[in-house]
């Protein structure tokens, strides 16, 4: 049996899983920062409207 | 108020440095700022060690006398399997601290360990399966080692699921931490399964008393194992900082952190 | 430690003790079912009836492998030292199937006490070394098989 495909598949799967696990929080970080900005913008606007 | 606690409060400035450090880690803005400084270094060390370990393991190390080249899967399989167990113990430990002292950053770190641990468990199972087909002659068997490792994956998924199912994140973290603590019974089973029962999976090659792997093949394995620990540290801190930003959306410190930071510092 | 924290600690301690006791009991009652295979000595001891399915594990006795002329069926002896069983298997053997190496076969004994295997898996041991090292060890008479 040719073993090379098994070795390559092992390392490919591992790379994909580790890469995804590392990148996923960066995507949610972008969203979190956007949410904080939106929230503070809304707060400032309501304060301006009050004065 | 209990007289003991009153005494403790007045004594606070004289506490030892370690206790002070733990107290500071418990403060979200301080945690965010402190960890942000060394996260890039953790990633850098991980990258260097991984490149070095893979070079030694996949290119420099000799083939095995019996298995030939297929044994090279061990350089990812074994570190991943070790990590799957180590992260579980750390998750349960941090969950324990969170349950008793209700430190929010501990709750967050315990919960963010779960997806990383699940990723390593998945890698250990998948690469083990790909090694098993050519060597054993089968992708999967229900022996004690393989089954208990699969149970570990379900424990991780259970912790993640329970945490996500509850609305209040702090209560959810504590409930999931309790589940993680209960699941600890599976860990000695995974580790000793190959000793206690007849299994298809071979016994441990590396123990405290020595190794049954030739030194030329052992070094890359140890380097990869250390590299994966850096991966966990870097990934855990990255995830925990994001969770703090999500949870403290309405607090002023998150706004300050974002507005003060240069774009590179944020990412 | 404050009283609240002590109370939480005791509660968690009780839960964990309960789980620990329950799993220890489960562990001892399930012990037999968790054995993935049985050795030839264990089979001889329980006087396994013919036709009952089980997994047989042990080492392939050196010099016992006999491949039939049709190239499909193989005979070999599985031993654990004190006892041995003759196995017949029809099909392709895994790459790591070698004389002196561990195997796990699934099947049943026939009336003559021969094990009719439907599946043969190679069991690997925990030793890893380069071919040169294995050769050198072989020359000094040290055997790398340790089961």
């Amino acid at each position: 049996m040719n073993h090379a495909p098994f070795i390559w598949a092992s390392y490919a799967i591992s790379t994909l899983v580790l890469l995804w696990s590392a990148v996923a929080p960066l995507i949610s970080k972008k969203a979190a920062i956007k949410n904080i900005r939106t929230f503070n913008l809304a707060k400032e606007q309501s304060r301006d409207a009050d004065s | 108020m209990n007289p003991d606690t009153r005494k403790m409060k007045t004594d606070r400035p004289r506490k030892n440095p370690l206790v002070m450090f733990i107290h500071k880690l418990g403060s979200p803005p301080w945690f965010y700022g402190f960890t942000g400084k060394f996260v890039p270094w953790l990633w850098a060390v991980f990258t260097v060690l991984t490149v070095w370990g893979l070079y030694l393991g996949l290119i420099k190390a000799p083939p095995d006398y019996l298995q030939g080249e297929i044994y090279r899967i061990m350089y990812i399989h074994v570190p991943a399997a070790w990590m799957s167990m180590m992260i579980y113990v750390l998750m349960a430990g941090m969950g324990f601290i969170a349950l008793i002292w209700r430190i929010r950053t501990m709750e967050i770190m315990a919960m963010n360990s779960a997806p990383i641990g699940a990723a390593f468990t998945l890698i250990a199972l998948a690469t083990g399966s790909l090694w098993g087909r050519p060597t054993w002659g089968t992708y999967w068997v229900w022996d004690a080692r393989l089954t208990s490792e699969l149970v570990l994956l379900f424990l991780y998924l259970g912790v993640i699921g329970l945490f996500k199912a509850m609305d209040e994140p702090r209560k959810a973290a504590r409930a999931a931490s309790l589940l993680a603590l209960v699941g600890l019974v599976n860990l000695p089973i995974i580790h000793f399964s190959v000793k206690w029962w007849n299994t298809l999976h071979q016994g441990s090659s590396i123990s405290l008393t020595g190794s049954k792997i030739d030194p030329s093949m052992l070094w890359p394995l140890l380097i990869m194992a250390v590299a994966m620990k850096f991966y966990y540290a870097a990934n855990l801190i990255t995830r925990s900082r994001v969770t703090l930003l999500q949870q403290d959306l309405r607090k002023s410190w998150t706004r300050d952190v974002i507005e003060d930071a240069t774009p590179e510092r944020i990412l | 430690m404050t009283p609240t924290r002590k109370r939480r600690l005791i509660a968690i301690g009780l839960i964990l003790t309960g789980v620990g006791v329950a799993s220890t009991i489960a562990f001892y009652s399930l012990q037999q079912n968790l054995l993935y295979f049985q050795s030839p000595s264990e089979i001889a001891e329980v006087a396994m009836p013919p036709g009952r399915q089980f997994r047989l594990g042990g080492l392939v006795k050196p010099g016992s492998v006999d491949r039939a002329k049709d190239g499909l069926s193989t005979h070999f002896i599985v031993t654990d030292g004190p006892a041995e069983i003759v196995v017949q298997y029809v099909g392709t053997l895994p790459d790591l199937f070698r004389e002196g190496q561990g195997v796990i076969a699934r099947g049943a004994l026939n009336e003559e006490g021969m094990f009719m295997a439907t599946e043969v898996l190679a069991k690997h041991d925990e030793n890893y070394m380069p071919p040169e090292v294995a050769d050198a060890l072989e020359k000094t008479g040290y055997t790398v098989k340790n089961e």
Side-chain angles (χ1 to χ4, degrees), chain B residues 5-257:
Chain B
T5 48
R6 201 179 307 144
K7 193 160 173 291
M8 252 174 61
K9 283 241 163 80
T10 53
D11 274 352
R12 183 163 280 181
R14 279 195 283 147
K15 267 186 183 165
N16 75 54
L18 182 71
V19 174
M20 283 309 293
F21 177 71
I22 291 171
H23 269 278
K24 279 201 240 163
L25 271 184
S27 144
W30 195 86
F31 178 95
Y32 193 92
F34 176 73
T35 55
K37 277 178 215 136
F38 59 83
V39 134
W41 294 102
L42 294 174
W43 284 120
V45 175
F46 157 72
T47 313
V48 170
L49 287 177
T50 304
V51 171
W52 186 31
L54 287 181
Y55 167 71
L56 289 182
L58 298 183
I59 297 162
K60 290 284 275 190
D64 183 60
Y65 77 108
L66 195 62
Q67 295 185 47
E69 304 292 338
I70 192 77
Y71 92 95
R72 295 186 197 278
I73 289 180
M74 135 176 125
Y75 294 119
I76 185 68
H77 173 75
V78 175
W82 283 343
M83 288 310 287
S84 72
M85 294 166 72
M86 191 195 91
I87 293 175
Y88 196 92
V89 173
L90 290 175
M91 173 175 79
M94 291 188 287
F96 178 78
I97 297 173
L99 276 167
I100 299 205
W101 283 276
R102 308 254 158 126
I103 301 170
R104 185 157 67 105
T105 47
M106 274 295 160
E107 292 167 6
I108 289 173
M109 290 212 288
M111 287 306 106
N112 278 317
S113 292
I116 312 173
F120 277 115
T121 315
L122 191 67
I123 291 174
L125 289 169
T127 56
S129 178
L130 286 167
W131 178 83
R133 182 67 192 87
T135 41
W136 292 337
T138 179
Y139 283 109
W140 183 263
V141 290
W142 294 99
D143 82 348
R145 170 55 76 81
L146 276 66
T147 309
S148 56
E149 183 74 11
L150 184 66
V151 168
L152 184 72
L153 180 64
F154 289 133
L155 278 171
Y156 274 124
L157 295 180
V159 168
I160 296 168
L162 185 57
F163 177 60
K164 292 213 165 142
M166 290 168 69
D167 288 331
E168 218 275 288
R170 298 211 52 187
K171 266 189 192 147
R174 290 197 293 265
S177 293
L178 191 62
L179 174 63
L181 274 169
V182 169
L184 267 183
V185 291
N186 190 36
L187 267 102
I189 297 180
I190 301 175
H191 183 75
F192 293 110
S193 55
V194 289
K195 265 196 188 151
W196 289 342
W197 302 292
N198 298 333
T199 53
L200 178 59
H201 195 287
Q202 64 269 27
S204 306
S205 296
I206 297 174
S207 65
L208 289 176
T209 51
S211 142
K212 290 182 173 158
I213 303 177
D214 191 79
S216 58
M217 300 155 123
L218 179 64
W219 275 107
L221 181 65
L222 298 180
I223 294 167
M224 286 301 284
V226 176
M228 292 306 139
K229 283 166 183 67
F230 276 90
Y231 175 90
Y232 167 63
N235 196 346
L236 175 64
I237 292 173
T238 310
R239 282 170 182 269
S240 301
R241 295 172 88 234
V242 175
T243 310
L244 279 175
L245 287 183
Q246 289 167 338
Q247 291 188 354
D248 286 0
L249 166 72
R250 294 179 173 75
K251 302 243 172 83
S252 60
W253 75 265
T254 53
R255 188 196 57 210
D256 298 344
V257 159

Side-chain angles (χ1 to χ4, degrees), chain A residues 10-11 18 21 29 33 37, chain B residues 72 231 235 239 258 266:
Chain A
S10 290
Y11 283 92
L18 290 182
S21 181
K29 184 167 193 172
I33 288 171
R37 289 228 166 93
Chain B
R72 295 186 197 278
Y231 175 90
N235 196 346
R239 282 170 182 269
I258 289 170
I266 295 177

Side-chain angles (χ1 to χ4, degrees), chain C:
Chain C
M1 192 173 272
T2 62
T4 353
R5 284 174 191 165
K6 203 170 268 174
R7 208 184 54 235
R8 286 178 202 150
L9 187 65
I10 292 169
I12 293 167
L14 283 175
I15 294 174
L16 293 186
T17 316
V19 173
V21 170
S23 35
T24 312
I25 295 169
F27 174 88
Y28 278 106
S29 55
L30 287 174
Q31 191 109 29
Q32 208 50 45
N33 298 335
L34 284 166
L35 294 180
Y36 189 70
F37 62 84
Q38 285 159 294
S39 66
S41 305
E42 284 163 346
I43 299 307
E45 216 170 274
V46 298
M48 186 68 74
R52 170 96 50 88
Q53 287 278 326
F54 67 100
R55 286 193 185 86
L56 172 71
L59 295 179
V60 180
K61 191 177 181 182
S64 74
V65 180
D66 173 29
R67 283 168 215 266
K69 287 191 183 71
D70 57 20
L72 276 175
S73 76
T74 316
H75 287 84
F76 54 91
I77 294 172
V78 168
T79 175
D80 63 350
E84 49 184 54
I85 291 178
V86 181
V87 177
Q88 181 189 320
Y89 175 64
V90 179
T92 3
L93 292 160
D95 287 8
L96 243 70
F97 179 91
R98 308 269 161 87
E99 294 186 355
Q101 279 290 315
V103 279
I104 294 176
R106 194 174 62 185
L109 293 171
N110 67 6
E111 297 298 332
E112 287 82 48
M114 189 194 270
F115 188 81
M116 311 302 282
T118 51
E119 178 193 52
V120 172
L121 302 177
K123 182 167 161 51
H124 181 57
D125 64 27
E126 57 268 44
N127 296 299
Y128 294 83
M129 63 185 92
E132 310 85 67
V133 177
D135 289 346
L137 282 176
E138 207 96 332
K139 275 185 198 124
T140 59
Y142 174 89
T143 170
V144 289
K145 283 61 170 191
N146 56 343
E147 205 137 343

